Amino acid sequence: METQYLTSLDEYFCAQYSDYVRISALEGYVMPDVVSVGADGNIQRRDSQVMRLCHQKNKEDLLARFKEGLTDTQFTFNFCFRPFRDRMRDPFRKFTFAKVLPEALAHAGETAESAGAKLDVSPKIWQKIVKGKLYPEMNTVIALILVTAMKQADANNLLNAMGYTLEKDRVRDVVCDYLIKNSVYNEEMRDRCLAEYRITNLPIKRTQTAQEA
């Protein structure tokens, strides 16, 4: 029972992950018929979702093989510099990361200071992000959402403010989408889910207890 959330994550991943090139390359994968001829003689194409792992009879074995080959390639710096054009526009925009952040943190019972203490980000860099002098990279935004147990609506607002989207063809995005949608914010459960899919590049500051475990 204690690992039911991992089983649920696996089911979600099989139903959502859409890098079909990577999926179809797995040994034992059976390519479904995506094209057929209709009664009228015309070619009919089925939705590409039929290629997802959830439709494979041996999906558990395929997923296990998939996990064996995983490495986290989503490395980024914690921030990026704002283009000159954005620096000029930001004061007039209603939804920027710095403007949306305080309300999102308040809903989570956090402040900029308490949230920053949970991130593996330099305090000086974090303060510049909070003030809108630097933009957070996507890994930083995702880490912030997870460590503050942010509500899904606020998480979406922060991602949208930066023009970021959780994509279904990225392992990191599908796993973190599951965590956010299902509020899997318990530190041990969260870290086990991330480790299960070898997601290691999120700037999350682990507690001493988590590090020892």
Side-chain angles (χ1 to χ4, degrees):
M1 286 294 291
E2 67 175 13
T3 59
Q4 180 59 40
Y5 62 94
L6 291 176
T7 301
S8 179
L9 169 59
D10 285 345
E11 292 173 352
Y12 185 83
F13 189 86
C14 286
Q16 298 295 322
Y17 186 65
S18 65
D19 186 341
Y20 302 127
V21 173
R22 196 169 181 179
I23 292 173
S24 61
L26 292 170
E27 182 181 355
Y29 181 88
V30 178
M31 181 66 72
D33 293 329
V34 294
V35 175
S36 61
V37 179
D40 57 3
N42 292 323
I43 299 295
Q44 298 177 336
R45 182 175 293 276
R46 301 172 69 190
D47 192 288
S48 60
Q49 291 187 16
V50 299
M51 297 178 64
R52 295 183 182 178
L53 286 175
C54 60
H55 299 293
Q56 295 286 307
K57 292 182 179 180
N58 58 336
K59 63 180 181 181
E60 291 83 5
D61 291 339
L62 290 171
L63 182 59
R65 291 193 184 97
F66 180 84
K67 289 180 181 179
E68 288 175 359
L70 283 176
T71 55
D72 191 352
T73 60
Q74 298 293 335
F75 172 78
T76 60
F77 291 101
N78 295 324
F79 66 94
C80 59
F81 294 102
R82 296 184 304 163
F84 176 78
R85 182 177 60 181
D86 288 343
R87 293 204 302 272
M88 296 298 100
R89 290 180 177 177
D90 276 0
F92 306 99
R93 293 172 57 202
K94 184 177 180 180
F95 297 104
T96 66
F97 184 86
K99 292 177 181 178
V100 174
L101 181 61
E103 183 176 7
L105 290 177
H107 289 166
E110 298 277 0
T111 64
E113 290 73 21
S114 66
K118 298 177 180 180
L119 295 173
D120 189 15
V121 177
S122 160
K124 183 180 295 186
I125 295 297
W126 174 243
Q127 281 303 310
K128 290 185 177 181
I129 291 174
V130 170
K131 294 177 181 179
K133 296 180 178 180
L134 294 173
Y135 282 164
E137 285 284 14
M138 190 165 181
N139 271 352
T140 303
V141 179
I142 292 174
L144 174 66
I145 292 167
L146 296 182
V147 300
T148 59
M150 197 169 287
K151 298 179 183 297
Q152 185 178 352
D154 290 321
N156 290 337
N157 286 339
L158 284 184
L159 289 166
N160 291 338
M162 287 303 305
Y164 297 147
T165 303
L166 295 175
E167 303 288 352
K168 292 184 177 180
D169 61 350
R170 295 178 181 173
V171 173
R172 175 202 63 188
D173 291 10
V174 175
V175 172
C176 291
D177 188 45
Y178 168 83
L179 297 178
I180 295 166
K181 284 182 177 178
N182 293 280
S183 300
V184 182
Y185 291 136
N186 171 276
E187 185 175 355
E188 180 181 352
M189 294 168 65
R190 176 201 72 200
D191 287 351
R192 287 192 68 180
C193 287
L194 295 175
E196 185 73 11
Y197 285 81
R198 302 189 185 182
I199 299 169
T200 59
N201 285 322
L202 298 181
I204 294 175
K205 186 178 292 183
R206 265 67 182 188
T207 63
Q208 188 65 32
T209 303
Q211 291 174 350
E212 291 173 352

